[in-house]
Each structure stands twice: as C-alpha cells, then as structure tokens.
Amino acid sequence: MTAVLVTWAFLVTGCSVPPSPPVTPPSQEVAEQTLRGIEVAVRDRRPDDFRARFAADDEALGRTADLWWANLTALDVTRFTLTAGPLDPAGAAEITIDWAVPGDSGIASHLARFSFRAGSDGAARVAAVAPAAAPAARPSWWADPLRLFRQGQATVVATGRVDQSRAGLWADQADRAADRVADALPASMRQGWTGVVVVELPADGAGYDRLLGGEPGSHSGYAAVAWAEGIADPRRERIAVRIVVNPDQPVHDPRALELLLTHEVTHLARYDAGSPAPLWLVEGFADHVAYAGSPELRAAAEQSLRDTIRSDGAPDRLPGDDTFRRGDLDRAYLLAWSACRLIARRYGDDVLNRFVVAAGAGQPVDRALRATAGIGLAEFRAEWVRDLTEPR
Ligand SMILES: [Zn+2]
C-alpha cells in the first residue's frame, strides 16, 4: 500500500516566528528503504549511516538515535530487523522490531511507532519514535544507557544505574546455573537452547515493569522471571527467553540466588513458557532441578513443606494454575515440587523427565503419567496426599 499526502506549508510573513518546515510524508516504499538502511547500518556497524536515517534537525531525536547506537553496539546485536505496518496519512506506522543478542535462543520482538518525513533528496528520515503504548513491553535499549557484564555462558544486561558488584554476581551465578542445568537435563530436554543465559537487570521496579509490560506490579511477587520477549504468535520463529530480575525483591543469600537462577534457567532450557502442561508440573520440575544440586536448600524446603502442611493442612488436589499467580505462592511452589519429587523418588528421574516431555508436548496429563509411570493421575494424587501426611 502506498499513501502519499502532501501538506502545504503557508508562508508566514511579518512575524518573528519562523515558518514551520513543510512536513511531507514519504511513500510506504521510501519509508521501508529507510528502515532497510537502518538495518544495514546496524549489521555493518556504520554509525554515520545509522545516524543519517534520523532527522538531523531534532536534537532530542538525535540523542535517542545516539543512545540506541551505543546500546545496540554494546549488545553486539546479531539480528535487528524493522518491519513497518501501513503508513497512515501523517506518515507514521507501527514498527515491529525483531532483535537478538549473542547466545539468544530466539528473537526478541517489540512494537514501536515511527513517523517518517520525506527529504528533498527523495529519501525519508525517521522524524519521531515512540514505544508501543503501555502496557506493551519496551526493549532494554530504548531509553537508558546499558552496560554489559559477560561471564562464561552468561550475559547480564544492566539498565540505568548499575551496581557493578551486583551485576557481576548475577553474571557469575547465571554462568554456574547454565552449567548445572546442562548437566541435569539430558540433551533431548533442552533442544533449541544455546546454553547461554541472558539476564536483564533493571535499575528499579519501574524499569522491571517496563521490560515485562502488562499492568505495573503484576509480577512484583517474583524475584526474577524467565520471560519470553516476544509477541505471542505461534507462526513466528522461536522467541528469545531471558531472565528479568526484579530489583524490588533482592536476593541476598547466594544459595537462594543459586536456587532461583537454576530454576529460571530450567525454564529457559525447556522453553516452557506457555507450555500446555499444568503449572504444578512446569514449576515443580524447575524446582526439582534446582533443589537437586543443593542438599542444604532441599532440607530447608522439606522443613518448609512440613510447616505448611502442619499449619494449613494437607491439600486434597494438586495446585491449580491460578495458585501460582496469586495467594500463597510459597505453598504452591512447595506442593508442586513435592509432587515432582515423589515421582522421581518412586519411579526415577528418567520417568519424571519423560513425563515432563510428554505433558509439555501436549499429551493430557493423565495419559502422559500412565504412559511413563504406569499410574493414573487420580491414583497418583492420592499417593501424593498420603505421602505428604505420613509422619517422618
Ligand atoms: Zn518458575
């Protein structure tokens, strides 16, 4: 579609206010050529070509373009593509930005809005940029200077003010978590994962909310989340999953950090966001992998499990998906973990792994459990409740 609209500028005379320059929207084709120019400039690392695609007479826009350049090159982006929707009569369009950093196991995908202006040379310049309206997620490189911390298999992308030792600690622990998960999961359970972990470390809670999108505060109960940074569209390619840290829920104990990261990296390796499996299995399995490497923390979790059974009683059902979003999250996670732990204890880790894979592939849970452990879901649930209430 091509839309050309010419705005006539009327000459203003006898006044000290200078006339506004004529704003001429370009054609769709010419605007898209500008986007191609930006992509090639990023790909070939040519700062002057990049800068030349943005209107030169707008200082604030120039600062944004310079910040983007600095951030995108610091990130060492391996992919940066801009896809325009139809231009409106004023020369603005929705832009889909697909991008990736080294080691990403997919693409991150964000929406924005660019306005274009035709120049006298026949080319178009980007004249204004805006992130997609809230509550859409915003990419890390949009408005704050970034700093990167790399350690082995981990990349920490810190936004805004950076506590260097904190970023270094996350990088170190994420690198170790990558090793633990690679050791714990057979290769068939981590297909498509590069083995790299990208952690995004915002400076404050508002930055955390901007990275995740959605209603502010809707993820405030978590210390970190494994986050698929993309527009949910099953026809598109694999989405990059990164770990986004919540600065309002700091984790001070290094062992708790180890546990948290191993849990999140398990999600990353399994690519299980939006899995058809019930959350008790997805979350319980991630905790099972995390606790496996830490007998001390496992003992503490067992004590917490006994405490919750003593104070709130034994459950009569496996925790439903909504219990992982609100209410007593600790109890929901402990119960989920205890169910996975029981399967591993009674039938072995190999059976648990095969059950996780089958349910993750969309097999109904009862059928997947029968096929792998030889027991139906109702029978397993009864066994699990009995196990939780047995005195130890
Ligand atoms: Zn989780």
Side-chain angles (χ1 to χ4, degrees), residues 83-86 92-96 111-114:
T83 309
E94 184 176 75
I95 308 292
T96 304
L111 291 176
R113 198 160 181 82
F114 287 9

Side-chain angles (χ1 to χ4, degrees), residues 107-245:
I107 53 158
S109 187
H110 288 89
L111 291 176
R113 198 160 181 82
F114 287 9
S115 297
F116 297 88
R117 188 199 300 164
S120 53
D121 58 358
R125 305 283 184 286
V126 175
V129 296
R138 193 188 288 196
S140 56
W141 45 264
W142 187 275
D144 298 298
L146 298 181
R147 281 193 63 187
L148 267 77
F149 299 82
R150 289 197 167 94
Q151 164 90 36
Q153 297 289 85
T155 299
V156 171
V157 180
T159 25
R161 298 180 312 278
V162 183
D163 178 340
Q164 206 156 324
S165 64
R166 184 169 160 255
L169 180 67
W170 278 98
D172 186 49
Q173 289 282 10
D175 181 37
R176 290 162 195 253
D179 281 342
R180 281 193 297 271
V181 171
D183 287 344
L185 299 187
S188 60
M189 291 189 80
R190 43 187 165 86
Q191 283 174 352
W193 180 43
T194 59
V196 168
V197 178
V198 179
V199 179
E200 295 186 319
L201 196 60
D204 51 32
Y208 173 71
D209 284 338
R210 277 197 298 275
L211 284 175
L212 298 181
E215 289 306 311
S218 52
H219 299 93
S220 60
Y222 307 99
V225 292
W227 195 248
E229 285 207 341
I231 301 158
D233 180 348
R235 291 163 303 177
R236 291 168 62 88
E237 56 197 284
R238 185 178 168 116
I239 300 298
V241 182
R242 298 169 182 159
I243 295 173
V244 185
V245 177

Side-chain angles (χ1 to χ4, degrees), residues 263-264 267 283 286 333:
H263 174 108
E264 302 304 342
H267 287 317
E283 297 302 338
Y333 278 84

Side-chain angles (χ1 to χ4, degrees), residues 31-169:
E32 285 177 1
Q33 278 166 9
T34 299
L35 298 180
R36 294 299 80 74
I38 293 173
E39 291 170 357
V40 171
V42 171
R43 188 193 67 200
D44 297 345
R45 304 294 192 262
R46 297 171 72 93
D48 294 343
D49 288 359
F50 181 81
R51 193 63 180 73
R53 263 62 190 194
F54 294 83
D57 58 352
D58 182 333
E59 267 182 47
L61 180 67
R63 282 194 297 275
T64 297
D66 290 343
L67 176 76
W68 286 6
W69 180 262
N71 284 346
L72 293 171
T73 50
L75 285 165
D76 196 19
V77 287
T78 51
R79 160 105 175 236
F80 190 76
T81 55
L82 304 167
T83 309
L87 250 66
D88 68 17
E94 184 176 75
I95 308 292
T96 304
I97 307 170
D98 291 333
W99 59 289
V101 301
D104 264 335
S105 300
I107 53 158
S109 187
H110 288 89
L111 291 176
R113 198 160 181 82
F114 287 9
S115 297
F116 297 88
R117 188 199 300 164
S120 53
D121 58 358
R125 305 283 184 286
V126 175
V129 296
R138 193 188 288 196
S140 56
W141 45 264
W142 187 275
D144 298 298
L146 298 181
R147 281 193 63 187
L148 267 77
F149 299 82
R150 289 197 167 94
Q151 164 90 36
Q153 297 289 85
T155 299
V156 171
V157 180
T159 25
R161 298 180 312 278
V162 183
D163 178 340
Q164 206 156 324
S165 64
R166 184 169 160 255
L169 180 67

